[in-house]
Amino acid sequence: MKVLVAVKRVVDYNVKVRAKADGTDVDLNNVKMSINPFCEIAVEEAVRLKEAGVATEVIAVSVGDKSCQEQIRTALALGADRGIQIDTDSKVEPLVVAKLLKAVVDKEQPQLVILGKQSIDGDNNQTGQMLGALANMGQGTFASEVVVDGDKVNVTREIDGGMQTVSLKLPAIVTTDLRLNEPRYASLPNIMKAKKKPLEVVTPDELGVAVTSHLTQVKVQPPAARQAGIKVKDVQELVDKLKNEAKVIS
C-alpha cells in the first residue's frame, strides 16, 4: 500500500510571530521554520503503518519554493521513502493546494492520503476536505486513531459530542488530530540517510494546475494588548462594576 503525506513549511510553533511594520505580512526574517505540527503527526502515522507492514512506501509532498525541501528532508529523516516538491514562489491558498495534491494523487495512485487537519499559520482546515471532494475519495477528518483493515480504513474522529468511528473504503483521505500519535525525533544517522533519498521537483504547469489567487490579504496586525485587571474591595463593588461598567449582568 502506497501512502502519500502532505507536509507544510510554517513558522516553528515555539516562535512568537510578529507582523511587519507596514502590516503587509508576517515577518519571516531570521525566523525558525519547521514542519507544521499536524503534518508531522501525519508523517509519523504513515511511518508507523509502514513499520507495521501495512504500507510499502511513504511519499512526502510539499508545495512551495526550494526552502520547503528542508521540511521534505525532515519527513524523509523521520521515515518517508521519497519526496516530491511542487515548486512555486506564489502564496498558495487551500483550494490551489488541494488541486495540486489531486494531480499528485492521480500520478502516484496512493491508497491512503494523510494530511494534518490544519496548518498553524492559516488555520483554514480546508485542504483535506477539498482534496476529498476533488479526488472523489472518502475522508476521515480529525483522526485520533487509524486502523487499516484489508481494503478499508477505520478512522476514529474527534467530534463535538465525543468520538465517532467511520469505515472508509480505500483509497481514502485522513486528516490528523493531536491525539493520533506523538511524533518521533529524527536521529542523526537517519538525517544523513535522508540526504540520499530521492526528491523529485515538479512545477504546477507540469501538473496541469494554474496557481491563481482568490483572496486578497488586506492587513496583518498583532492582537490588541491585554489590559491589566483590577482589584475590588468586596462583592458589592464587583457586582456594581459587572453591572454598570462591563454591563454583563442586569
Side-chain angles (χ1 to χ4, degrees), residues 23 31 39 54 77 79 85 101 107 121 128 143 145 152 154 171 181 192 220 232-233:
V31 172
C39 299
V54 176
Q85 178 208 349
L101 292 178
K107 178 183 177 182
D121 50 4
E145 185 179 7
K152 293 183 179 180
N154 298 317
N181 60 52
M192 300 306 293
V220 175
V232 295
K233 292 182 294 184

Side-chain angles (χ1 to χ4, degrees), residues 3-249:
V3 181
L4 184 72
V5 183
V7 296
K8 184 177 183 181
R9 178 180 172 89
V10 299
V11 175
D12 188 89
Y13 69 93
N14 288 309
V15 174
K16 185 176 181 180
V17 179
R18 299 168 299 177
K20 290 183 177 179
D22 58 5
T24 55
D25 210 336
V26 173
D27 187 359
L28 299 180
N29 287 329
N30 300 316
V31 172
K32 181 183 177 182
M33 308 294 284
S34 62
I35 292 182
N36 176 52
F38 290 103
C39 299
E40 197 171 13
I41 292 171
V43 173
E44 175 67 24
E45 192 64 21
V47 172
R48 290 188 184 189
L49 289 173
K50 183 184 175 184
E51 291 173 342
V54 176
T56 55
E57 184 180 28
V58 176
I59 307 166
V61 57
S62 188
V63 181
D65 58 23
K66 189 176 181 180
S67 61
C68 76
Q69 290 188 11
E70 177 187 354
Q71 281 61 52
I72 297 175
R73 291 293 181 192
T74 300
L76 296 176
L78 292 171
D81 297 293
R82 58 188 173 95
I84 300 174
Q85 178 208 349
I86 304 174
D87 188 26
T88 176
D89 293 326
S90 302
K91 192 170 184 178
V92 289
E93 299 166 2
L95 180 58
V96 174
V97 175
K99 289 180 178 179
L100 292 168
L101 292 178
K102 163 65 164 53
V104 175
V105 167
D106 290 342
K107 178 183 177 182
E108 296 289 342
Q109 294 294 305
Q111 284 70 52
L112 187 62
V113 183
I114 310 179
L115 306 89
K117 71 170 185 178
Q118 65 194 78
S119 60
I120 61 172
D121 50 4
D123 272 334
N124 291 303
N125 178 25
Q126 294 175 340
T127 304
Q129 292 89 326
M130 289 177 171
L131 177 59
L134 292 170
N136 195 28
M137 295 165 64
Q139 55 182 286
T141 55
F142 317 123
S144 61
E145 185 179 7
V146 176
V147 179
V148 177
D149 183 15
D151 64 346
K152 293 183 179 180
V153 57
N154 298 317
V155 180
T156 300
R157 309 176 57 238
E158 299 194 21
I159 59 175
D160 291 341
M163 310 296 284
Q164 177 191 61
T165 300
V166 295
S167 181
L168 308 172
K169 187 175 180 180
L170 296 174
I173 293 170
V174 172
T175 69
T176 62
D177 214 327
L178 285 172
R179 278 157 287 278
L180 179 58
N181 60 52
E182 184 174 343
R184 70 194 67 190
Y185 289 100
S187 65
L188 181 58
N190 286 336
I191 292 174
M192 300 306 293
K193 290 177 184 177
K195 295 180 180 180
K196 297 182 180 180
K197 290 184 178 180
L199 197 164
E200 179 186 3
V201 179
V202 297
T203 65
D205 288 340
E206 290 172 336
L207 296 175
V209 178
V211 178
T212 56
S213 179
H214 305 86
L215 304 173
T216 300
Q217 184 168 286
V218 178
K219 189 177 183 181
V220 175
Q221 63 184 52
R226 187 173 181 178
Q227 295 182 346
I230 61 171
K231 292 183 178 181
V232 295
K233 292 182 294 184
D234 50 35
V235 174
Q236 185 176 355
E237 184 181 356
L238 172 62
V239 172
D240 179 68
K241 288 186 177 295
L242 291 174
K243 182 178 181 180
N244 299 313
E245 293 184 18
K247 299 187 185 301
V248 294
I249 62 173

